[in-house]
Amino acid sequence: MKYWQKIMTVTWKDTIAEMRTREIISSVLVFTLLVIVIFNFAFGTNQTTLNLVAPGILWVTFTFAGVLSLNRAFVPEKEQGCLEGLMACPVSREVIYVGKMLASLLFMLIIEAIALPIFAFLFNLPVLSLQIIVITVLTTIGFVTVGTLFSALAVNTKAREMILPILFLPVVIPIIISAVLATGTALAGGSWSELASSLQIIAVFDVIFLVVSFLVFPYVIEE
Amino acid sequence: MLRKLLVWLGVTLMVFSLFLVFVYVPTERTMGIVQKIFYLMVPMGWLAILSFLIIFVGSIFYLAKKSRRWDNLAFCGAETGLVFTTLALIIGSIWAKPIWGVWWTWEPRLTATLVLWLIYIAYFMVRSFASEEYRGATFAAVVGIVGFVDIPIIILSTTLWRGMHPGPIIFQGGLEPAMLFTLLVSLAAFTVLYVLILTQRVSLRNDQMELARLKELYH
């Protein structure tokens, strides 16, 4: 098999498992909806206030949703001994990383594709623009590149679910800052050139951490 | 021998920098005497980043060579780094109080330091939660590498978030030559102090490891 086919096989395996159990997408989606509703109570229904806090709400929601779904990326593998099976496969460890990363990316994008219209509907805000979709996709790529690495690491520690947010959140702070900034600008009707500096930071983060995670991942899952 | 030399160099530089700060250097016009804390603040910030560079190098070599000595270097770098990063935050707050009237302000570099501090905490957390010690070292090395690579992006994003600040003029000739000289001397003094602390800590930890190994062997 070619390199790319191997990666797709790993991704496909995760997708089938998810289609059968619907564990990640359904539970994270419900969680996302709950967070959005709770934020509504926290900030009231005043439209001017909502316009101000909307980028923050959106990104806090997606960050928590990311932590929740990334936590599940390796837990089932570990619980049912699938990780050993994966590692016994005649593929390199990097293939496992990219395959799992793409699967997590797919799940996150599906969740966001459903959550964004709900957000637009509940908050009466134009978040369904091309600008915000680009910001969301780029930031999500950043989330899953580091997230997959740290998820594989967290599952091998004693604390498991506790350790992922502690590692993940400080590292993704720069892209959360940039995403919130860019979303605020986009909601205020800013042009693409005004978004450029934020988008550049997110894109640079994506590329750097794709490479770094790809290189260090083999050390994380070795026995 | 080298250590003795370093101790004396450190003491001399430290006394010299105290003299420069309190006697030689002119007091800044707008901020007054308060601004002198700058000569303490900048070395702390510098050491916070230098420590992470040491963690980064130690971590890469640990992953490549699997030798405990490299892990010890990274771990001790993290310990000293955490101390200096904490100090940088505290001194930053003390400086912020008279200048902005509040203890904490989301000033770009103060914010970046706080994020750096949180990554340092993560480095220790992941180590203590690992089931076996060697795994903890590997995981910590991964955090060390990811964290170091993250620093420039953190600085970029916090700067973009809060806008520019007087800081970046320091090395563009905006700083009075006398002030720059004082800053450089205090940077040198604290770097020597740092090297001393780090080498002591590393040799202590190496000895601890050796002792534990011997205990295991003859028990």
Side-chain angles (χ1 to χ4, degrees):
Chain A
M1 274 200 286
K2 291 211 185 75
Y3 201 68
W4 194 241
Q5 281 178 308
K6 292 178 186 168
I7 291 173
M8 277 305 150
T9 313
V10 177
T11 310
W12 184 234
K13 171 199 83 75
D14 272 19
T15 316
I16 294 176
E18 178 58 32
M19 282 196 298
R20 290 193 184 142
T21 59
R22 295 209 180 79
E23 195 178 61
I24 296 177
I25 293 181
S26 60
S27 58
V28 175
L29 205 57
V30 174
F31 171 80
T32 309
L33 189 65
L34 282 169
V35 173
I36 293 177
V37 171
I38 287 172
F39 265 124
N40 209 36
F41 296 135
F43 291 112
T45 48
N46 185 335
Q47 192 65 42
T48 28
T49 319
L50 284 185
N51 287 350
L52 272 177
V53 295
I57 296 178
L58 191 66
W59 284 105
V60 169
T61 311
F62 283 168
T63 309
F64 286 166
V67 171
L68 206 62
S69 69
L70 285 164
N71 245 333
R72 296 303 298 176
F74 279 91
V75 170
E77 305 264 18
K78 188 80 179 170
E79 277 170 357
Q80 285 150 29
C82 291
L83 202 57
E84 281 77 16
L86 260 183
M87 281 161 62
C89 285
V91 296
S92 67
R93 302 283 149 81
E94 288 89 350
V95 168
I96 301 176
Y97 168 72
V98 180
K100 301 232 35 134
M101 198 249 332
L102 287 178
S104 293
L105 179 65
L106 181 69
F107 303 156
M108 275 297 288
L109 288 180
I110 292 174
I111 293 163
E112 287 164 346
I114 305 171
L116 268 181
I118 296 176
F119 190 85
F121 175 72
L122 289 179
F123 284 85
N124 190 25
L125 281 169
V127 288
L128 285 172
S129 67
L130 182 62
Q131 287 179 330
I132 290 187
I133 292 170
V134 170
I135 298 166
T136 309
V137 171
L138 276 180
T139 313
T140 310
I141 294 174
F143 280 176
V144 294
T145 51
V146 257
T148 307
L149 174 72
F150 284 156
S151 173
L153 193 159
V155 84
N156 284 311
T157 60
K158 279 180 283 186
R160 285 199 182 178
E161 278 90 348
M162 297 291 295
I163 211 80
L164 180 67
I166 292 172
L167 295 177
F168 176 77
L169 294 177
V171 172
V172 296
I173 282 178
I175 51 170
I176 296 179
I177 292 177
S178 310
V180 170
L181 266 183
T183 309
T185 316
L187 281 179
S191 64
W192 282 99
S193 56
E194 286 174 71
L195 295 180
S197 45
S198 305
L199 288 180
Q200 273 165 2
I201 291 181
I202 305 176
V204 165
F205 183 97
D206 291 358
V207 174
I208 289 179
F209 280 105
L210 190 60
V211 176
V212 172
S213 307
F214 186 84
L215 291 177
V216 296
F217 184 77
Y219 298 102
V220 168
I221 57 166
E222 71 187 9
E223 286 301 320
Chain B
M1 181 59 210
L2 187 67
R3 186 169 288 169
K4 249 190 184 146
L5 203 73
L6 270 179
V7 170
W8 283 110
L9 181 68
V11 170
T12 320
L13 276 171
M14 207 52 103
V15 172
F16 185 48
S17 79
L18 280 177
F19 166 77
L20 287 178
V21 170
F22 288 106
V23 182
Y24 166 75
V25 81
T27 307
E28 212 259 349
R29 198 180 304 144
T30 44
M31 287 189 252
I33 193 95
V34 177
Q35 187 266 344
K36 287 190 192 267
I37 202 171
F38 167 77
Y39 305 108
L40 186 61
M41 171 84 218
V42 176
M44 294 301 147
W46 149 245
L47 292 180
I49 291 180
L50 178 69
S51 301
F52 228 112
L53 178 66
I54 286 168
I55 301 175
F56 182 63
V57 174
S59 300
I60 285 184
F61 278 100
Y62 177 68
L63 288 187
K65 301 226 164 94
K66 290 283 163 204
S67 148
R68 288 314 301 254
R69 297 191 95 82
W70 285 110
D71 178 53
N72 284 351
L73 177 70
F75 180 75
C76 300
E79 278 186 339
T80 33
L82 182 63
V83 171
F84 283 109
T85 314
T86 312
L87 282 174
L89 286 175
I90 294 171
I91 295 167
S93 296
I94 295 173
W95 194 7
K97 182 68 181 166
I99 301 296
W100 290 299
V102 283
W103 287 111
W104 182 261
T105 162
W106 295 97
E107 188 270 332
R109 264 156 309 133
L110 215 49
T111 313
T113 314
L114 179 65
V115 178
L116 189 62
W117 189 81
L118 290 168
I119 298 180
Y120 270 115
I121 298 293
Y123 180 90
F124 289 109
M125 290 290 269
V126 76
R127 203 178 260 274
S128 59
F129 277 119
S131 41
E132 296 106 4
E133 216 189 327
Y134 77 96
R135 299 210 85 164
T138 308
F139 294 162
V142 168
V143 177
I145 292 169
V146 169
F148 181 76
V149 175
D150 209 23
I151 294 176
I153 311 176
I154 294 171
I155 295 173
L156 264 179
S157 65
T158 47
T159 314
L160 182 74
W161 179 52
R162 274 295 170 227
M164 285 311 227
H165 179 80
I169 60 163
I170 291 174
F171 293 108
Q172 289 165 9
L175 201 70
E176 183 80 9
M179 288 182 173
L180 185 62
F181 178 66
T182 312
L183 178 64
L184 290 178
V185 172
S186 49
L187 273 174
F190 277 100
T191 309
V192 173
L193 175 69
Y194 175 80
V195 171
L196 272 172
I197 295 176
L198 184 69
T199 46
Q200 293 284 0
R201 181 68 187 102
V202 169
S203 73
L204 180 64
R205 192 166 163 88
N206 281 338
D207 291 348
Q208 277 176 334
M209 292 274 161
E210 184 62 16
L211 200 61
R213 194 185 65 84
L214 289 176
K215 255 189 190 161
E216 190 90 348
L217 209 60
Y218 292 106
H219 208 57

